[in-house]
Amino acid sequence: MEETYLLNVEGVRKKILHGGQGELPKFQDGSKITFHFQTLKDDFERTVIDDSREAGIPMEIIVGKMFKLEIWETLLSSMRTGEVAEFWCDAIHTGMYALVSRGMRRIAEGRDPLEGQKHRCGMGNMFDYHSTGYDDLDELQRTPQPLIFIMELFRVEEPSAYKRDTWAMSKEEKLAAVPVLHSEGNRLVLRKEFAQAAAKYQEAVICLRNLQAKEKPWEDGWLKLESLVTPLVLNYCQCQLELGEYYEVLEHTTELLQKHN
């Protein structure tokens, strides 16, 4: 279709390249959107910056979880399943693109997207942002500019239709997931599947640690969560002991002894 559709958002234009099917999906909080995208410069050559098809893996975002490039959620929520659309976005919406692209590129390269930001002071992290490690993205950081996004929407899954990663869960969902993961770990231990059991215990600990991060250390809420963490860590250590990971066992049990004399 040649006609350009204006979204009800300042600095955004939309052109449908291929119509989708059915009604507009329900983009409720927690829904998972799966799509391919291509990012182009708004220049004569329409220079390609990124193309998710080259990586071979579709992009996924969770609605309502504050993806760094907020405009993408707005663009995708205007699309039907199977639709391909081109969006022109003014620079007011694209300022974070370089940092988002850096993370996606590092994941595609099999690298840690937070590489260089760990164990660094605030000033160190700030300095790290002066260079993304990619010349074309550094240019975008220095001179924010309009970008063109071509997106193909594959599917929109309701929160109950897929297994969500820990970071995408609400507080209530994390608390509900912990006893389930604990039981699954225990079941796997009885079957002597220690590596799989350790993964379940670890996932439960991550849920609780995420919740603890929002509590004040050593106050009632924090201590209550800590009491749930301790048996899970011990179970995890028992699995690692069976797997011969002795140094990891020593590290975790020493930390527990230091906290609980």
Side-chain angles (χ1 to χ4, degrees):
M1 297 183 183
E2 293 300 325
E3 184 178 359
T4 296
Y5 294 84
L6 296 179
L7 290 179
N8 190 26
V9 181
E10 181 184 357
V12 175
R13 295 198 300 269
K14 174 182 179 181
K15 180 163 61 177
I16 297 176
L17 305 180
H18 177 77
Q21 302 92 40
E23 298 294 324
L24 197 68
K26 293 181 179 179
F27 295 90
Q28 59 182 307
D29 279 3
S31 296
K32 181 167 72 173
I33 307 175
T34 304
F35 61 100
H36 265 309
F37 74 94
Q38 192 177 50
T39 304
L40 314 172
K41 283 188 175 182
D42 184 23
D43 56 14
F44 181 78
E45 297 84 6
R46 289 168 63 94
T47 306
V48 177
I49 300 172
D50 288 307
D51 188 339
S52 63
R53 291 186 182 278
E54 289 187 0
I57 304 173
M59 182 71 182
E60 296 177 348
I61 65 174
I62 306 297
V63 175
K65 294 301 177 183
M66 298 197 316
F67 183 63
K68 283 184 179 179
L69 199 64
E70 294 180 14
I71 193 62
W72 271 16
E73 188 174 313
T74 302
L75 306 182
L76 290 161
S77 63
S78 75
M79 299 176 69
R80 289 175 167 78
T81 304
E83 180 179 323
V84 181
E86 177 178 307
F87 300 91
W88 178 91
C89 294
D90 200 356
I92 59 173
H93 300 296
T94 63
M96 290 294 293
Y97 184 78
L99 295 181
V100 170
S101 176
R102 176 181 69 168
M104 293 188 293
R105 290 184 187 187
R106 287 183 172 180
I107 290 171
E109 294 165 1
R111 298 164 61 193
D112 184 346
L114 298 178
E115 180 183 311
Q117 298 177 51
K118 294 183 176 181
H119 310 299
R120 298 277 297 278
C121 67
M123 288 300 292
N125 286 337
M126 188 182 300
F127 178 78
D128 193 54
Y129 280 130
H130 286 306
S131 176
T132 64
Y134 304 93
D135 291 342
D136 58 338
L137 298 182
D138 286 346
E139 179 194 345
L140 289 180
Q141 277 210 134
R142 287 191 298 268
T143 56
Q145 55 196 266
L147 294 175
I148 296 167
F149 302 112
I150 299 176
M151 295 179 160
E152 180 179 2
L153 178 62
F154 291 141
R155 58 184 173 272
V156 179
E157 299 173 85
E158 295 182 358
S160 59
Y162 67 95
K163 184 181 183 297
R164 279 190 279 176
D165 293 330
T166 299
W167 65 266
M169 293 180 180
S170 66
K171 177 180 179 179
E172 292 73 21
E173 289 169 330
K174 288 174 184 173
L175 286 171
V178 168
V180 175
L181 291 166
H182 199 158
S183 296
E184 289 176 355
N186 292 346
R187 178 176 54 82
L188 289 164
V189 166
L190 292 174
R191 291 164 51 180
K192 298 188 182 302
E193 297 178 16
F194 299 112
Q196 295 89 333
K200 295 294 183 182
Y201 295 138
Q202 185 178 45
E203 189 176 351
V205 170
I206 290 171
C207 284
L208 294 170
R209 291 299 190 205
N210 286 343
L211 293 173
Q212 267 191 318
K214 299 178 182 178
E215 301 284 345
K216 291 185 178 180
W218 304 106
E219 292 196 356
D220 289 345
W222 190 94
L223 289 170
K224 184 176 181 180
L225 292 168
E226 184 68 17
S227 69
L228 299 175
V229 167
T230 300
L232 287 165
V233 173
L234 289 171
N235 287 1
Y236 174 82
C237 287
Q238 183 63 47
C239 293
Q240 295 303 322
L241 196 63
E242 296 286 351
L243 295 168
E245 299 291 344
Y246 306 120
Y247 287 108
E248 187 169 5
V249 173
L250 284 170
E251 179 183 351
H252 290 297
T253 52
T254 298
E255 183 181 354
L256 283 177
L257 287 169
Q258 290 172 344
K259 285 183 178 178
H260 310 287
N261 293 330

